[in-house]
Amino acid sequence: MAADNDLFLEAQASWDLDRLYADLAIAKQQTAPHKQPSLTSMEQELLRGLLCRYSPAEIAAQRFTAPKTVEVNLSNTLYRYVETLTGRDHNVLESWRDVADWLAAAGYTSTWRKINWSQLPDVPVFYGRQQELATLQAWAAQSCRLVMVLGPGGIGKTSLVVKLVRHIQSQFDCLIWQSLRPGPPLEAVLQSWLAQLPDLAIDPTADHHRQLASVIDYLHSHRCLVVLDNFDTLLQEGDFAGHYREGYGAYGDFLRQLGEAQHQSCVLITSRESTKEIVMLEGPNRPVRSLDLPGLGEAAQGILQEANLSGEQHWQQLIRIYRGNPLVLKIVASNVRDLFNGSVSDFLKQRITLITSDVSFLIEQQFERLSMAEKELLYALAKLQTPANVDRLQQELTPHILQPLGSLVRRSLVERSAAGFTLRPVVMEYVCDRISREAPS
């Protein structure tokens, strides 16, 4: 939004503001060629107030301005621009109510419906990810119904999806951003959506099965872009990956229906781990897909450059150690700047994987979600120190490692190479530290 403030932003739910700002700017040039060609932030704000059906006096109260000041301003600016834009003679607009009525008749009401758009995170800086962005854009264009973006904490799942939404939002009739971090029950989420979706009449007391059916019908009749952010907050701790917390199993049925039902919408999900519904439905030629988000690679150099680190010839080594995780690199870069005067080479001479309290907290969040079998396997892999294949792990540890090993791989805590399975460096450092702290003194 071009305005400098945030008054009357609710107008964006019902009006095509970008097009209206642009067309009114042209009308402004025709009406007052001596003035700034584009609409000022104040003019945009006053316009939004009128589109929300606020009177000049009500607008003045919210702007802490005298009503007369607003009325004079409107008479000298927006009223005249609206007359020009709608092809009317000057000074024929008699009531502030005419502005919204005339512009609606001229076709400036929006066909979009935006729900929970205030939850959309701000992403001021975005590094790389062009290949992943292109993949997701292609999947959305191919009418993929359900797409899950997977990766460990801090890898940039939400940032990527925000960037994607900004690119493709014009292809959809309805936009819904739903943060699941607070752990809302599905019934509350569906009820909130249904109350805001147009052309729907449903009893608000209806059970979630009827609510779910109504939402699926809407996704069938309208092309909607829906984002379910932080889906992993609904999943059970202390169990293998993909199991739901008590009381949240209805989300599994929701995902199944979103993947199986024929509809023209696209539902994007960010999560640290997949679910059994996605695993069963996904495929390279199916309308359900998963994207495992890797580290940034060379694009992560932008993070180190922003932190003003020296020793550029060693940056790639630092990126490899932390597997290109943007959030972890930002934390580590800050500490390298503070502890080693920004010298990456001096830091690397320490031959340690720096685990700050912030990085430790990220891993701790995932560690606490693990089943006992997964924790035991993490400890065993940390003690081995070197990569090991399945046969060796079964011989040296236990024959029953396939389920916990597969779960740890899906959680991005264990990585696989040609030499076998091992812990990611930051995870290795974290687990070794736990082992030393838990050892009897």
Side-chain angles (χ1 to χ4, degrees):
M1 202 64 61
D4 294 331
N5 44 55
D6 58 0
L7 284 179
F8 317 120
L9 287 181
E10 61 267 31
Q12 65 186 340
S14 303
W15 295 87
D16 189 349
L17 290 182
D18 290 338
R19 184 164 65 95
L20 188 49
Y21 291 158
D23 290 353
L24 278 173
I26 296 173
K28 177 180 180 179
Q29 293 176 47
Q30 297 171 352
T31 305
H34 59 286
K35 292 186 176 181
Q36 174 184 327
S38 59
L39 294 187
T40 66
S41 61
M42 184 176 70
E43 288 171 340
Q44 292 182 6
E45 181 181 275
L46 295 178
L47 172 65
R48 294 197 303 271
L50 294 174
L51 296 179
C52 292
R53 303 287 179 172
Y54 289 112
S55 69
E58 291 170 327
I59 293 173
Q62 295 202 44
R63 299 190 77 246
F64 301 102
T65 307
K68 189 65 176 177
T69 301
V70 173
E71 291 174 0
V72 171
N73 197 305
L74 288 170
S75 296
N76 292 333
T77 59
L78 281 173
Y79 289 171
R80 308 290 77 89
Y81 310 157
V82 170
E83 289 168 344
T84 300
L85 179 60
T86 57
R88 291 175 167 82
D89 294 333
H90 280 195
N91 300 313
V92 297
L93 193 152
E94 298 180 349
S95 169
W96 59 269
R97 296 178 178 84
D98 292 339
V99 171
D101 291 340
W102 290 3
L103 292 175
Y108 285 98
T109 53
S110 176
T111 57
W112 282 6
R113 176 67 56 170
K114 294 183 178 180
I115 297 176
N116 295 341
W117 218 235
S118 61
Q119 296 181 5
L120 188 73
D122 182 32
V123 182
V125 181
F126 186 79
Y127 299 101
R129 300 293 189 207
Q130 297 309 309
Q131 180 177 345
E132 293 87 352
L133 195 59
T135 296
L136 292 174
Q137 286 180 285
W139 288 355
Q142 294 166 12
S143 299
C144 284
R145 298 193 286 258
L146 191 58
V147 175
M148 180 169 274
V149 180
L150 294 161
I155 202 68
K157 301 180 293 295
T158 297
S159 295
L160 175 63
V161 171
V162 169
K163 190 73 171 179
L164 173 71
V165 166
R166 296 298 190 193
H167 274 279
I168 67 174
Q169 59 180 343
S170 61
Q171 304 171 21
F172 296 85
D173 306 318
C174 176
L175 307 170
I176 301 175
W177 185 283
Q178 184 66 54
S179 174
L180 299 175
R181 190 178 295 279
L186 180 61
E187 293 84 347
V189 169
L190 296 180
Q191 188 171 356
S192 173
W193 293 1
L194 292 169
Q196 300 176 72
L197 291 173
D199 309 321
L200 271 179
I202 184 172
D203 182 355
T205 63
D207 62 35
H208 88 273
H209 296 290
R210 290 180 58 195
Q211 292 176 343
L212 180 55
S214 296
V215 167
I216 296 296
D217 286 344
Y218 193 87
L219 297 180
H220 175 77
S221 59
H222 299 77
R223 182 155 166 75
C224 301
L225 180 62
V226 182
V227 178
L228 302 177
D229 194 27
N230 298 301
F231 196 88
D232 49 278
T233 59
L234 309 177
L235 303 178
Q236 181 65 47
E237 297 180 1
D239 205 341
F240 293 118
H243 293 253
Y244 292 94
R245 290 162 52 190
E246 184 177 354
Y248 290 90
Y251 277 97
D253 186 46
F254 186 31
L255 293 191
R256 182 183 57 77
Q257 291 199 43
L258 288 173
E260 291 179 347
Q262 293 188 0
H263 59 79
Q264 59 177 325
S265 299
C266 180
V267 180
L268 298 165
I269 303 170
T270 69
S271 182
R272 295 184 182 186
E273 55 194 74
S274 190
T275 69
K276 61 179 181 296
E277 294 83 15
I278 299 295
V279 172
M280 292 173 63
L281 293 170
E282 69 177 333
N285 298 311
R286 297 185 179 185
V288 178
R289 310 273 176 89
S290 287
L291 178 67
D292 290 302
L293 204 56
L296 278 178
E298 287 190 9
Q301 293 185 20
I303 297 173
L304 308 184
Q305 185 176 25
E306 186 180 27
N308 293 318
L309 300 189
S310 61
E312 187 172 349
Q313 67 273 25
H314 301 293
W315 284 5
Q316 277 302 118
Q317 184 178 351
L318 190 69
I319 292 169
R320 284 196 300 272
I321 290 173
Y322 294 98
R323 297 303 188 259
N325 186 300
L327 180 56
V328 173
L329 281 171
K330 287 178 184 178
I331 295 170
V332 171
S334 177
N335 282 273
V336 171
R337 186 179 62 241
D338 295 341
L339 301 178
F340 299 92
N341 198 30
S343 172
V344 173
S345 58
D346 287 348
F347 164 68
L348 292 175
K349 289 176 184 176
Q350 306 299 312
R351 298 187 180 277
I352 60 170
T353 303
L354 181 62
I355 299 292
T356 67
S357 59
D358 294 321
V359 175
S360 179
F361 177 71
L362 277 176
I363 305 173
E364 182 82 22
Q365 285 181 313
Q366 291 180 279
F367 187 87
E368 294 303 326
R369 300 182 63 84
L370 303 181
S371 65
M372 186 57 66
E374 288 172 294
K375 291 179 181 178
E376 290 175 353
L377 183 52
L378 277 187
Y379 284 135
L381 288 169
K383 292 175 181 176
L384 286 176
Q385 290 288 312
T386 57
N389 59 29
V390 171
D391 288 341
R392 180 185 171 190
L393 292 174
Q394 288 178 322
Q395 292 173 8
E396 296 190 17
L397 303 177
T398 170
H400 309 293
I401 65 159
L402 294 182
Q403 187 173 10
L405 180 61
S407 187
L408 288 172
V409 170
R410 288 195 296 275
R411 295 184 195 270
S412 301
L413 295 174
V414 168
E415 58 187 9
R416 180 180 182 179
S417 66
F421 296 91
T422 189
L423 305 185
R424 292 172 176 264
V426 289
V427 179
M428 178 75 77
E429 193 76 15
Y430 170 82
V431 176
C432 288
D433 181 64
R434 284 189 69 104
I435 291 174
S436 65
R437 286 188 283 110
E438 294 172 0
S441 54

